[in-house]
Amino acid sequence: MKHRRILLLNPGAMGAAVGACCKQAGHQVYWVSEGRSPASRQRAQAQELTEAATLREALRKVDIVISVCPPHAAQETAAAVIEQRFRGIYVDANAISPATSQTIQQQLEAARIRYVDGGIIGQPPAKAGTTRLYLAGADAQEVAGLFDGSWMDARCLDAPAGAASALKITYAAWTKGAGALLGAIRALAQANGIEEALLDEWALSQPELVGRSRYVAERADKAWRWVGEMQEIAATFEAAGLPGDFHHGAAEIYQRLALFKDVEEAPSFLQVSNALLKP
Amino acid sequence: MKHRRILLLNPGAMGAAVGACCKQAGHQVYWVSEGRSPASRQRAQAQELTEAATLREALRKVDIVISVCPPHAAQETAAAVIEQRFRGIYVDANAISPATSQTIQQQLEAARIRYVDGGIIGQPPAKAGTTRLYLAGADAQEVAGLFDGSWMDARCLDAPAGAASALKITYAAWTKGAGALLGAIRALAQANGIEEALLDEWALSQPELVGRSRYVAERADKAWRWVGEMQEIAATFEAAGLPGDFHHGAAEIYQRLALFKDVEEAPSFLQVSNALLKP
């Protein structure tokens, strides 16, 4: 495949790793420094991504944009690209509902930008075999080819745009939804003075839960960005006529943990319980 | 321990097994036939429980009552016993919130009936080691002794009445809450045309979910009685200032599956999905 120029919006932990995979496959990957944090700069430089000062400048150089950002920022990221009269392929790889994906698709296509719907499952890849980028839409195959020979396992779904978002949403509905539920249960046990008895019963009959119930503590630094993701998931359930309640609950849990944003060290479960019980 | 006379309300699948454990321990166990189904009669006879025609007749013979019933029936069961001017120990072993347990306790104690709070974790015991009956309250030790030498592992919590209910509630909050969540997710995947892709991704990265997601199908015959249990769980979360949403969602899922009440054979997942998506 020929050498391509790609803009990666933006180099967060996952975004920088996605950009690194495109570089690994032999492409040139840009990032936009305007308005980004020192941590983003550090990650972009560590992966040797090419700096562009502004979005405008970057979009003049590339023919593919890949959006990897918190779900609540997905629409404004697409809107900013449309505003610059970009022509090319726009990949949204965010944890958004199929309906939000469809809205973005319509806005992009009205501006004559080709849309590919994506969803990432797994951790930021630091080796092969850990992470899939699912893709759907007319140009999915072309985008998948960008990752040939990289650590990212890019897979095309034989389905229209929206399917990759739906897959990501249903996958995260369990991992992050169940994580929130389990954390809330453990806080509830504490509030009722039976946390030790519950942990003893779990050790006996559900031994994996003792460790799993620490998920919300171990991932507390990410909670702030999962609020929007839980809302996208709830909206997806409701659009299908299913109850969105599970993920409204999960959104509330992660909202109460947003104070742990970017902490260096995971809080103790007691700190998590206190944040959940006395918000 | 001396031979006691115990009334078991009522011989459902779990109740009959609890009664059988008391018999195993050498006690005489009564059941009330008035108003019960042929299936209850069959279970009571299979366990050789002693029939009493009416609640009034049974209460004249026993000094301990154990209530094992769907959570929505727990309060009326206690009220019926109070109305008969029973004097003795009343054990509520149902999946009720600590607040409901406290209400029942107050009503019983106002009628000079001693209250023991209980919660059963595990399947109806058909051998030793599968099932715990947690007990809390001033007379918990005496009730635990009723099961000495039986298949039921009766355990006293060093905590006031309400603690056993809280333990049962927090335990079921995961098993039945997560089961409902997983079933809803799989139905959502079907509604979005990506069920196969989700099952493939699960097989790759969360292999236990493929089987676990059938929980709502395998237990569909019990869904009708879990609606009330999910509501008790939601109320317990809300009483602690935590979101009750997870279990409002689970209650809705089990409500939609209530049509499978007492089916002989578990429905297929497609039948479950259809019930969830087109209620």
Side-chain angles (χ1 to χ4, degrees):
Chain A
M1 161 165 271
K2 66 173 185 167
H3 174 90
R4 303 290 290 264
R5 284 173 302 178
I6 300 164
L7 172 58
L8 192 288
L9 298 174
N10 289 298
M14 181 61 86
V18 170
C21 288
C22 293
K23 271 197 63 103
Q24 219 178 5
H27 307 292
Q28 186 166 12
V29 181
Y30 290 82
W31 71 291
V32 174
S33 55
E34 189 178 44
R36 308 316 320 165
S37 68
S40 286
R41 170 174 294 278
Q42 208 169 23
R43 282 185 294 254
Q45 287 176 342
Q47 306 294 357
E48 300 181 342
L49 310 188
T50 305
E51 179 174 353
T54 64
L55 180 62
R56 184 189 183 89
E57 182 192 318
L59 289 172
R60 277 206 306 264
K61 292 178 176 159
V62 305
D63 49 10
I64 296 170
V65 174
I66 303 177
S67 167
V68 180
C69 65
H72 60 259
Q75 292 207 53
E76 66 193 62
T77 301
V81 169
I82 291 169
E83 202 181 286
Q84 296 297 330
R85 301 175 183 276
F86 171 69
R87 292 286 177 277
I89 293 178
Y90 185 99
V91 184
D92 181 294
N94 301 307
I96 55 174
S97 69
T100 302
S101 171
Q102 197 175 27
T103 301
I104 290 175
Q105 174 177 21
Q106 286 164 350
Q107 290 167 347
L108 289 164
E109 290 180 352
R112 292 194 282 156
I113 300 169
R114 289 184 285 158
Y115 179 65
V116 173
D117 170 49
I120 302 169
I121 293 180
Q123 294 301 304
K127 59 179 181 182
T130 66
T131 311
R132 271 81 53 210
L133 169 60
Y134 287 98
L135 297 161
D139 295 300
Q141 208 69 56
E142 183 173 345
V143 173
L146 298 175
F147 294 90
D148 280 353
S150 81
W151 289 334
M152 180 66 86
D153 180 356
R155 298 183 177 202
C156 295
L157 295 171
D158 184 19
S165 290
L167 182 54
K168 166 67 181 176
I169 284 289
T170 51
Y171 190 86
W174 174 254
T175 53
K176 290 165 193 160
L181 171 58
L182 210 39
I185 288 170
R186 196 162 155 186
L188 180 62
Q190 197 193 61
N192 281 275
I194 50 125
E195 190 181 14
E196 208 182 308
L198 180 64
L199 291 172
D200 287 349
E201 172 58 43
W202 277 351
L204 189 66
S205 59
Q206 308 264 357
E208 80 284 7
L209 297 186
V210 179
R212 276 190 71 188
S213 66
R214 284 194 291 269
Y215 178 90
V216 285
E218 286 159 3
R219 312 300 299 277
D221 60 325
K222 295 274 182 284
W224 67 276
R225 68 179 284 154
W226 292 350
V227 177
E229 186 167 338
M230 295 306 106
Q231 288 161 344
E232 291 288 322
I233 294 172
T236 310
F237 274 81
E238 286 163 359
L242 289 165
D245 309 55
F246 294 104
H247 296 91
H248 290 305
E252 176 66 28
I253 294 299
Y254 290 125
Q255 184 61 60
R256 293 184 189 185
L257 300 179
L259 68 143
F260 295 113
K261 181 177 178 178
D262 298 332
V263 289
E264 295 278 324
E265 204 176 315
S268 68
F269 202 89
L270 188 63
Q271 289 173 298
V272 164
S273 277
N274 286 339
L276 292 179
L277 293 169
K278 294 159 200 146
Chain B
M1 160 166 271
K2 66 172 183 165
H3 175 88
R4 304 290 290 266
R5 284 173 301 177
I6 300 164
L7 171 60
L8 193 289
L9 299 174
N10 287 299
M14 179 62 85
V18 170
C21 288
C22 293
K23 271 195 65 101
Q24 220 179 5
H27 308 292
Q28 187 168 11
V29 181
Y30 291 81
W31 71 290
V32 174
S33 55
E34 188 179 45
R36 310 313 322 165
S37 68
S40 286
R41 171 174 294 278
Q42 206 168 27
R43 281 185 294 254
Q45 287 175 342
Q47 305 294 358
E48 300 181 343
L49 309 189
T50 307
E51 180 174 352
T54 64
L55 180 62
R56 185 189 182 88
E57 181 193 319
L59 288 173
R60 277 206 305 262
K61 292 178 176 158
V62 306
D63 49 10
I64 295 169
V65 174
I66 303 177
S67 166
V68 180
C69 65
H72 61 257
Q75 292 205 54
E76 67 194 60
T77 301
V81 170
I82 291 170
E83 203 181 287
Q84 295 297 330
R85 301 175 183 274
F86 171 68
R87 292 285 178 277
I89 292 178
Y90 185 100
V91 185
D92 181 293
N94 302 308
I96 55 175
S97 69
T100 302
S101 171
Q102 197 174 27
T103 301
I104 291 175
Q105 175 177 20
Q106 286 164 352
Q107 290 167 347
L108 289 165
E109 290 181 351
R112 291 194 284 157
I113 301 169
R114 290 185 285 158
Y115 178 65
V116 173
D117 170 49
I120 302 169
I121 293 180
Q123 295 299 306
K127 58 179 181 179
T130 66
T131 311
R132 271 81 53 210
L133 168 61
Y134 287 97
L135 297 160
D139 296 299
Q141 207 69 55
E142 185 174 345
V143 174
L146 298 175
F147 294 89
D148 281 352
S150 81
W151 289 334
M152 180 67 84
D153 180 355
R155 299 183 175 200
C156 295
L157 294 171
D158 184 19
S165 290
L167 181 54
K168 166 68 180 176
I169 284 288
T170 51
Y171 190 86
W174 174 254
T175 51
K176 291 165 192 158
L181 171 57
L182 211 39
I185 288 170
R186 197 162 152 185
L188 180 62
Q190 196 193 61
N192 281 275
I194 50 125
E195 190 182 14
E196 207 183 308
L198 180 65
L199 291 173
D200 287 349
E201 172 58 42
W202 277 351
L204 188 67
S205 60
Q206 309 264 357
E208 81 282 9
L209 297 187
V210 179
R212 276 190 71 187
S213 65
R214 284 194 291 267
Y215 178 90
V216 286
E218 286 159 3
R219 311 301 298 278
D221 61 326
K222 295 274 182 285
W224 67 275
R225 67 180 285 153
W226 291 352
V227 177
E229 186 167 339
M230 296 305 106
Q231 287 161 345
E232 291 288 322
I233 294 173
T236 310
F237 274 81
E238 286 163 359
L242 289 164
D245 309 55
F246 293 104
H247 297 89
H248 289 306
E252 176 67 26
I253 293 300
Y254 290 126
Q255 184 60 60
R256 294 184 188 185
L257 300 178
L259 68 140
F260 296 112
K261 181 176 178 178
D262 298 332
V263 288
E264 294 279 323
E265 205 176 315
S268 69
F269 202 88
L270 187 63
Q271 290 173 297
V272 164
S273 276
N274 286 341
L276 292 178
L277 293 170
K278 293 159 199 146

